[in-house]
Amino acid sequence: MRIIRFCVALLGFIAVSIVPALAQDKYPNRPVRFVVSFAAGGSNDIIARVLCDWLSERLGQQFVVENRTGASGNVGAQSVINSAPDGYTVMFVGPNNAISQSVFRRLPFDFVRDTAPVAGIMTLTNIMVVPPSLPVNTVAEFIAYAKAHPGKLSFASSGNGTSVHMSAELFKAMTKCEMQHVPYRGSALAFPDIISDKVQLIFDNLPSALEQVRGGTVRALGVTSPQRWPGVPDVPAIAETVPGFESVGFYGISAPKGTPPEIVDTLNKAVGDALKDPKLVARLAEMGGIPKPMTPAEFGKLISDETEKWRKVVEFAGVSVD
């Protein structure tokens, strides 16, 4: 009996010792830093905050958005790449991360090589918008106006090498319109100048531009998807006027290379569950996004494919940044 009592007591001691250790090791057990590489108020920031609210509630720890702007998202990307691969620093990924590999000649990292893909979030289009004061109502009218005023118009972007920038460069190259580029640290910062006609054009990501379009502070001329986009079916595709024009984007999550697979899987499953939530899906739809859940491997392939796609566009448009 003494031996039995001793064994029972020993097992109880072991259980008491192990349970806190297991609880401590459970991911996440402290806040997670979610790096967004552009200014607050842009589409990246808007979507990231919606998702972080859901993840915070689901996983029991705060997912805190941190805006780290600069160098078209590369400052934020490098900060994540240089972080500990422990799952407590992740980043919002978009087309800029694929484009930068070709646009920037001295990029201090290779995004595909130095990050761990976690999950896809959504696909989206960009939308071509102008000030209401600009005397054009269609893509064809804009092209005619730009050619009648060569070099007099300017277009805004959320930074060199972003999809907002490259959509305009592709448009310039395909239509032979002469326009000046004015980069900002995020598209939200550009809209006051668009609205006031200091800058005449932006090919912004749909989620951040949609409220301005709905509010009438800017005029939508076309979307950059090859066909009309479900979220704005009344806005023509630019390809209806400029055959072959296409610039479709994506959003997702990556982490530093070396992040443990079990943490990546935990985050991937949580994001996948979020994209099945009718309320969150409806919120994305309101902003013009289409949910795109993906496995880490699928998202990694998408980033690689997008990097190659944009390399060809960069070469065609003749864009580079030292």
Side-chain angles (χ1 to χ4, degrees), residues 20-271:
L22 290 175
Q24 187 176 11
D25 290 341
K26 183 180 178 182
Y27 173 85
N29 57 46
R30 53 188 170 88
V32 176
R33 189 166 61 106
F34 199 112
V35 175
V36 173
S37 301
F38 296 95
S43 59
N44 305 55
D45 181 75
I46 294 168
I47 302 299
R49 291 181 189 277
V50 170
L51 183 61
C52 280
D53 286 346
W54 197 97
L55 293 174
S56 297
E57 184 176 343
R58 178 60 176 261
L59 295 179
Q61 289 289 342
Q62 287 297 308
F63 280 68
V64 182
V65 170
E66 178 181 313
N67 298 93
R68 299 207 60 170
T69 66
S72 305
N74 292 318
V75 169
Q78 187 165 12
S79 75
V80 173
I81 287 169
N82 292 340
S83 297
D86 56 8
Y88 290 95
T89 301
V90 297
M91 71 172 292
F92 194 93
V93 180
N96 63 291
N97 300 112
I99 297 168
S100 289
Q101 293 298 138
S102 301
V103 168
F104 289 86
R105 294 178 179 176
R106 296 183 176 87
L107 202 62
F109 58 82
D110 183 306
F111 192 82
V112 173
R113 182 194 65 205
D114 298 332
T115 61
V118 173
I121 300 174
M122 59 184 277
T123 57
L124 70 158
T125 185
N126 288 3
I127 187 166
M128 178 184 184
V129 301
V130 298
S133 57
L134 201 70
V136 299
N137 291 289
T138 66
V139 173
E141 288 179 2
F142 180 90
I143 294 170
Y145 186 85
K147 289 186 175 180
H149 303 82
K152 301 297 184 181
L153 303 184
S154 57
F155 68 90
S157 80
S158 49
N160 290 305
T162 60
S163 70
V164 180
H165 172 210
M166 290 307 303
S167 294
E169 293 288 357
L170 181 60
F171 183 82
K172 278 178 58 181
M174 292 183 72
T175 62
K176 310 302 181 186
C177 289
E178 296 180 28
M179 300 182 289
Q180 302 300 316
H181 178 210
V182 183
Y184 293 77
R185 282 180 173 261
S187 60
L189 301 178
F191 268 95
D193 289 348
I194 296 291
I195 294 167
S196 63
D197 200 13
K198 291 179 181 176
V199 181
Q200 290 73 44
L201 173 68
I202 188 169
F203 285 78
D204 195 21
N205 297 156
L206 182 59
S208 53
L210 196 51
E211 286 307 311
Q212 301 285 357
V213 172
R214 287 171 175 164
T217 56
V218 295
R219 179 183 298 130
L221 300 186
V223 292
T224 61
S225 50
Q227 293 87 31
R228 297 193 182 206
W229 196 255
V232 283
D234 294 334
V235 180
I238 295 169
E240 293 175 28
T241 303
V242 185
F245 184 89
E246 178 183 351
S247 176
V248 179
F250 68 95
Y251 286 157
I253 302 173
S254 286
K257 182 180 179 180
T259 299
E262 58 271 21
I263 290 177
V264 170
D265 289 342
T266 296
L267 287 172
N268 181 272
K269 184 178 185 303
V271 172

Side-chain angles (χ1 to χ4, degrees), residues 275-308:
L275 297 178
K276 296 174 186 174
D277 185 323
K279 291 183 180 179
L280 189 139
V281 170
R283 182 76 178 102
L284 294 183
E286 286 176 7
M287 295 181 282
I290 299 175
K292 187 71 173 180
M294 308 180 81
T295 66
E298 289 169 340
F299 186 53
K301 184 177 186 304
L302 174 66
I303 295 172
S304 296
D305 291 346
E306 287 288 307
T307 300
E308 177 59 18

Side-chain angles (χ1 to χ4, degrees), residues 300-321:
K301 184 177 186 304
L302 174 66
I303 295 172
S304 296
D305 291 346
E306 287 288 307
T307 300
E308 177 59 18
K309 180 190 83 173
W310 283 107
R311 181 188 65 78
K312 295 175 182 177
V313 173
V314 168
E315 290 179 358
F316 174 74
V319 179
S320 66
V321 179

